[in-house]
């Protein structure tokens, strides 16, 4: 389909174009972009802002694509939408399909069964170009925060581009048609339309990023302006004439902006927001500096055009696609969280080799012009193949996991924590299958019988039945307050009140929200909804006057490493804890603070899947399982009347280590205890709390 607008008769003075040869410096810019991303993924602490390579890619893409579309309008008065989308299919889908199919195969062969559903779900999202929205949803999913990285999560940036290019040609066409009908210049209207889209997108990004940093990073509306500004540069260059000095300054200034961003920006910042303008405008400056055919070696452009960089630029698309699955599967096989020096070399060499082969045998052959109908049929077939290839093992894997969950139950052969009892410990039989099966241990959550109770809703009165366990007519009430490390004990407490009719349990928790008056920050933005929740909880509990309040909290280390949430200082966190505990103490409400459990040194369920006969390989040394400065919540409780600290450490650690398996029960699902292990803690916890 080719839609006609009137050709542009005159635009005023324009810069003549003697030829349409490929700009070699743009390949160098692509090399810079992919190099930043790969270096960041290989050694994130060395180049903390290397993720801005994606922003460089966005600007280059907008420069080339929008520039091509507006040139077509200017030159022919037409915009061939179907041909444009056919070119996109030939350019992108074959290599992406190869990577997705390879990822499916590698997952089946190399990854544990527990990983299959998550990986294959994201393969489907990647194939359908909605991976960015999948990740945006998961960024708000607390349970996903500690999950292992997906080998296809980097497809989010491709999804952003393709969603943008579904829309922007239509906007350009509509603006050109309207301009022609009004007897005005269609390219100028197209320019105005891109300006409008870019301004709206940038404004939304600035406003939305502080409110939801995780989702803002991935969604298309916060990124459209980066592609748009590249397109504006391309349109402007048709009329713009830059002198040598301007190009010199723009080139080196732009390069400095990109490199400084890569060295100084971090994922803790509210990105993209306004901060993304630094590497984005830097890239625009580099594109403007590279225009024209004559450049001196005082400028940056000749150095971006050297053959090695041009070659990396040529294979940059495939290199971007392949490098991340290579890294993820190397880490999967080694069980490490970071690549060793040798693994870095292996990952880099293998990524380049796969990218070179992909460019030679997949990208280039499929980019040759074909009949448009054939192109669309091949594109649809490839996408369908990826979806089916992922969906079949996804379904089979989920069925196996469901079966394991149904068969994973505690018996008298699984004493769990009771095997560590200081007096008369339960015997541990050998040759007994551990529970839960490591393949499902990661999903062994508490509160599964109470939907919505992982985040208490204060529309429900504390005297009501919501998130309550035990006898509704009980004379005594215990309230559980805090984050997911408090909720972790709900199962043991529910077991207790189920056996003691005089007690009732009320669970008032919020995942990711420790019971402190001082809110954490994410990317520099205070999470005031957490402190607001705690204030409401505190007022409600004081009004209820329960017989006992129990609280626990995840360590600051876990908040930083797993959620990237921070407090200004440790003393601020301690002060926040002490504020709420003091209020309860002054109200004469007894409080029990459960000291933080040791943090495992590795991800236990995957480790157990790799070491089925050597579970001790997944243990954590006791001396390294605790932060040196201690538990801030326990410190805050010190010296307060009616507040005592309960230490369950000796029920999860022996004298030398904190085992991954105790009494034939898997102890950890991530930095939390498995719900199955918590069941075995019911008696010891009740005793420690003075309930028995």
């Amino acid at each position: 389909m080719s839609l006609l607008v009137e050709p542009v008769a005159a635009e005023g003075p324009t810069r003549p174009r003697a030829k349409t040869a490929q700009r070699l410096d743009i390949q160098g810019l692509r090399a810079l972009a992919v190099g930043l991303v790969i270096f960041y993924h290989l050694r994130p602490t060395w180049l903390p802002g290397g993720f801005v390579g994606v922003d460089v890619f966005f600007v280059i893409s907008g420069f080339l694509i929008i520039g091509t579309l507006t040139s077509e309008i200017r030159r022919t008065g037409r915009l061939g939408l179907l041909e444009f989308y056919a070119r996109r299919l030939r350019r992108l889908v074959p290599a992406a399909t190869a990577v997705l199919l390879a990822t499916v195969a590698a997952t089946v062969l190399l990854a544990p069964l527990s990983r299959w559903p998550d990986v294959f779900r994201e393969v489907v999202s990647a194939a359908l170009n909605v991976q960015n929205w999948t990740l945006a949803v998961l960024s708000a999913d607390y349970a996903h925060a500690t999950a292992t990285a997906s080998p296809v999560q980097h497809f989010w940036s491709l999804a952003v581009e393709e969603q943008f290019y579904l829309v922007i040609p239509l906007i350009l066409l509509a603006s050109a048609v309207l301009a022609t009908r009004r007897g005005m210049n269609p390219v100028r209207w197209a320019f105005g339309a891109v300006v409008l889209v870019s301004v709206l997108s940038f404004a939304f990004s600035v406003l939305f990023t502080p409110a939801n940093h995780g989702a803002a990073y991935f969604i298309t509306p916060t990124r459209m302006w980066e592609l748009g500004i590249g397109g504006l540069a391309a349109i402007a260059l048709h009329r713009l004439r830059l002198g040598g000095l301007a190009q010199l300054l723009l080139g080196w200034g732009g390069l400095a902006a990109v490199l400084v961003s890569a060295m100084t920006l971090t994922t803790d910042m509210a990105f993209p927001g306004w901060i993304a303008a630094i590497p984005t405008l830097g890239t625009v400056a580099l594109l403007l500096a590279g225009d024209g055919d004559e450049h001196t070696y005082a400028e940056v452009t000749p150095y971006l055009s050297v053959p090695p960089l041009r070659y990396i630029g040529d294979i940059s698309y495939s290199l971007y696609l392949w490098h991340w699955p290579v890294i993820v599967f190397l880490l999967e096989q080694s069980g490490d969280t970071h690549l060793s020096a040798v693994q870095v070399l292996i990952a880099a060499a293998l990524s380049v080799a796969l990218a070179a082969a992909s460019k030679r045998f997949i990208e280039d052959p499929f980019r040759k012009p074909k009949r448009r109908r054939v192109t669309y049929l091949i594109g649809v077939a490839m996408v369908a193949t990826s979806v089916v290839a992922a969906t079949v093992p996804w379904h089979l894997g989920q069925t196996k996991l469901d079966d394991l969950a149904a068969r994973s139950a505690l018996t008298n052969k699984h004493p769990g924590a009771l095997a560590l009892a200081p007096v008369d410990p339960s015997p541990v039989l050998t040759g007994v299958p551990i529970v839960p099966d490591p393949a499902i241990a990661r999903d062994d959550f508490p509160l599964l019988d109470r939907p919505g109770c992982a985040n208490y809703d204060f529309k429900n009165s504390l005297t009501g039945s919501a998130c309550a366990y035990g006898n509704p007519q009980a004379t005594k009430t215990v309230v559980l307050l805090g984050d997911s490390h408090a909720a972790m004990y709900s199962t043991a407490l529910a077991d207790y009140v189920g056996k003691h009719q005089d007690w009732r349990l009320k669970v008032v928790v919020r995942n990711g929200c420790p019971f402190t008056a001082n809110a954490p920050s994410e990317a520099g933005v205070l999470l005031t909804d957490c402190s607001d929740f705690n204030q409401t909880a505190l007022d409600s509990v004081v009004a209820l006057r329960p017989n006992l309040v129990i609280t626990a909290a995840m360590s600051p280390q876990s908040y930083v490493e797993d959620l990237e949430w921070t407090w200004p200082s440790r003393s601020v966190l301690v002060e926040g804890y002490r504020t709420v505990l003091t209020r309860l103490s002054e109200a004469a409400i007894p409080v029990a603070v459960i000291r933080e459990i040791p943090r495992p040194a590795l991800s236990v369920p995957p480790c157990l899947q790799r070491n089925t006969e050597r579970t001790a390989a997944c243990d954590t040394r006791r001396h390294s399982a605790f932060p040196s400065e201690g538990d801030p919540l326990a410190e805050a409780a010190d010296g307060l009347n009616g507040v005592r600290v309960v230490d369950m450490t000796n029920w999860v650690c022996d004298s030398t280590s904190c085992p991954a398996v105790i009494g034939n029960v898997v102890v950890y699902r991530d930095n939390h205890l498995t719900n199955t292990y918590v069941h075995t803690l019911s008696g010891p916890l009740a005793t420690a709390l003075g309930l028995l």
Side-chain angles (χ1 to χ4, degrees):
M1 180 176 68
S2 180
L3 299 182
L4 179 65
V5 296
E6 290 296 324
V8 181
E11 281 190 355
T14 62
R15 185 171 182 173
R17 299 291 175 184
K19 56 181 181 180
T20 59
Q22 180 187 42
R23 270 183 53 176
L24 301 181
D25 64 300
I26 289 182
Q27 295 306 88
L29 273 177
R30 283 174 164 155
L32 173 65
V34 77
L36 291 175
V37 172
I38 293 176
F39 196 101
Y40 170 68
H41 287 155
L42 292 173
R43 281 287 182 264
T45 57
W46 291 11
L47 196 68
F51 55 84
V52 301
V54 171
D55 303 84
V56 176
F57 270 130
F58 284 156
V59 178
I60 295 171
S61 177
F63 180 87
L64 294 173
I65 301 302
I66 295 177
T68 299
L69 292 173
T70 53
S71 291
E72 184 177 354
I73 292 174
R74 179 186 297 109
R75 186 180 65 256
T76 69
R78 298 176 182 272
L79 195 55
L81 293 180
L82 292 180
E83 184 55 37
F84 168 75
Y85 293 128
R87 290 196 303 270
R88 298 298 293 172
L89 286 172
R90 290 195 298 267
R91 172 73 177 93
L92 302 176
V93 173
T97 300
V99 173
L100 292 177
L101 294 179
T103 299
V104 170
T107 301
V108 171
L109 295 173
L110 303 175
L113 182 65
S114 59
R115 296 270 282 134
W116 289 21
D118 288 346
V119 171
F120 295 140
R121 173 193 60 207
E122 294 197 27
V123 169
V124 171
S125 294
L128 298 176
N129 276 323
V130 293
Q131 173 71 337
N132 61 324
W133 294 100
T134 297
L135 294 180
V137 171
L138 292 177
S139 70
D141 181 358
Y142 177 82
H144 190 78
T146 56
T148 306
S150 159
V152 295
Q153 68 181 31
H154 62 314
F155 273 72
W156 74 268
S157 62
L158 306 181
V160 168
E161 286 196 32
E162 294 321 297
Q163 290 161 27
F164 180 76
Y165 292 132
L166 280 176
V167 175
I168 200 64
L170 300 176
I171 292 175
L172 294 176
L173 179 62
S175 62
V177 169
L178 288 174
T180 301
R181 289 178 177 176
R182 293 172 179 265
M184 304 184 74
N185 189 304
V187 176
R188 290 180 180 174
W189 275 56
F191 184 88
V194 178
V195 168
L196 179 62
V197 169
S198 300
V199 169
L200 291 175
S201 170
F202 181 72
F204 177 75
S205 181
V206 170
L207 294 173
F208 184 72
T209 298
N212 194 333
H213 170 228
Y217 189 86
F218 297 111
I219 62 175
T220 307
T222 60
R223 297 288 190 163
M224 293 173 72
W225 67 273
E226 298 183 51
L227 295 115
I229 201 169
L232 293 176
I235 300 172
L237 274 181
H238 188 75
R239 298 173 58 87
L240 190 64
R241 293 177 181 273
L242 293 174
L245 178 60
Q247 290 187 313
L248 177 94
L249 296 175
L250 283 171
W252 290 111
L255 183 62
V258 172
L259 294 180
V260 169
S261 297
M263 291 185 286
T264 60
L265 300 185
T266 71
T267 54
D268 293 333
M269 297 177 176
F271 198 92
W274 68 267
I275 303 174
I278 301 172
T280 298
L281 292 175
T283 307
V284 170
L286 283 164
L287 288 167
L288 294 176
D291 188 48
D293 300 323
E294 296 182 2
H295 297 279
T296 70
Y297 281 99
E299 299 175 42
V300 72
T301 300
Y303 302 102
L304 290 173
S305 306
V306 296
L309 287 183
R310 280 162 31 203
Y311 178 73
I312 297 299
D314 288 343
I315 66 170
S316 60
Y317 175 58
S318 284
L319 187 55
Y320 179 80
L321 291 178
W322 283 107
H323 85 280
W324 184 244
V326 168
I327 292 173
V328 169
F329 285 113
L330 275 176
L331 292 173
E332 186 82 56
Q333 291 308 294
S334 66
D336 299 324
T337 56
H338 303 286
L339 295 175
S340 67
V342 172
Q343 288 174 322
V344 165
L345 295 176
I346 293 173
L350 186 55
S351 297
V352 171
L354 288 170
S358 181
K359 175 70 164 57
R360 170 68 179 81
F361 299 108
I362 299 174
E363 284 192 66
D364 289 346
F366 277 97
R367 289 184 74 173
K368 294 177 181 178
K370 299 176 179 62
R371 293 180 59 188
R372 196 161 57 207
R373 179 172 297 182
V374 173
T375 297
Y376 279 99
L377 288 174
I378 292 174
V380 170
M382 287 183 172
V383 171
T385 299
S386 296
V387 170
V388 172
T391 301
V392 172
W394 179 4
H395 174 74
L396 293 176
Q398 190 61 60
T399 300
K400 290 181 181 179
L401 292 173
D402 292 342
D403 182 60
L404 287 173
R407 294 189 285 108
S408 190
L410 284 171
T411 70
N412 57 8
K413 298 178 181 179
H414 302 92
L418 300 180
L420 295 181
V423 178
D424 194 23
S426 298
V428 180
L429 300 178
T430 59
V432 176
I434 59 177
V435 295
D437 189 286
I440 60 170
R442 191 191 67 178
D443 297 322
D444 193 21
F445 296 104
L447 301 175
L448 292 180
D449 62 333
R450 295 289 194 277
C453 289
N455 293 285
Y456 191 82
D457 186 348
F458 284 105
K459 292 178 181 178
N460 301 305
S461 168
L462 262 61
T463 59
S465 60
C467 306
Y469 297 78
N471 180 11
Q473 308 304 319
T475 57
K476 292 181 284 188
T477 300
V478 55
V479 174
L480 182 63
L481 290 173
D483 58 14
S484 61
H485 273 224
M488 186 170 67
Y489 296 106
S490 61
T491 296
L493 296 171
D495 287 346
Y496 174 81
V497 300
K499 298 173 183 176
H500 297 80
Q501 292 298 298
D502 56 335
W503 279 97
R504 174 176 177 266
L505 169 66
K506 188 73 174 182
V507 178
V508 186
V509 298
R510 178 170 178 157
N511 283 346
C513 188
F515 188 51
T516 173
N518 294 332
S521 297
E522 181 188 22
V525 179
L526 272 178
L527 302 176
T528 54
D529 52 346
C530 180
S531 52
D532 293 344
F533 176 92
N534 286 334
Q535 185 59 54
T536 303
L538 184 60
D539 294 340
S540 301
V541 169
V542 169
L544 180 67
R545 301 193 65 80
N547 302 86
L548 177 64
V549 167
I550 300 171
T551 188
M554 192 163 73
S555 70
Q557 177 188 0
S558 292
Y559 271 109
V560 169
E561 294 186 13
D562 298 332
L563 295 176
E564 297 184 350
W565 293 2
T566 60
W567 283 263
S569 67
R570 188 175 187 278
S571 61
V572 169
L573 177 56
V574 173
E575 177 191 352
Y577 283 136
R578 195 167 182 86
T579 298
V580 295
L581 293 177
T582 298
R583 173 89 183 277
L584 294 173
S585 174
E586 291 174 346
I589 297 173
V591 179
V593 168
I594 303 178
R595 189 183 297 275
E596 172 63 332
I597 60 170
R599 178 182 171 91
L602 41 67
S603 182
V604 169
C607 181
L608 291 174
Q609 290 178 86
R610 291 190 301 269
N611 297 275
T612 56
E613 304 299 326
R614 295 177 56 253
T615 61
C618 306
D619 296 351
T620 298
R621 303 300 297 173
R622 181 167 177 151
H623 67 80
S624 64
F626 298 93
S628 58
E629 65 271 20
D631 181 3
L633 177 57
E635 179 182 330
D638 186 43
L640 291 178
N641 290 330
V643 181
R644 61 196 180 93
V645 176
V646 173
D647 193 342
M648 301 300 293
T649 301
N650 289 336
W651 293 97
V652 290
C653 299
D654 58 30
S655 60
T656 60
S657 68
C658 301
V661 177
I662 297 174
N664 292 325
V665 178
V666 177
V667 179
Y668 292 97
R669 57 181 170 89
D670 43 33
N671 62 56
H672 302 76
L673 302 177
T674 64
N675 198 45
T676 304
Y677 191 78
V678 172
H679 269 296
T680 72
L681 278 174
S682 296
L685 181 61
T687 300
L689 292 169
L691 298 176
L692 291 178

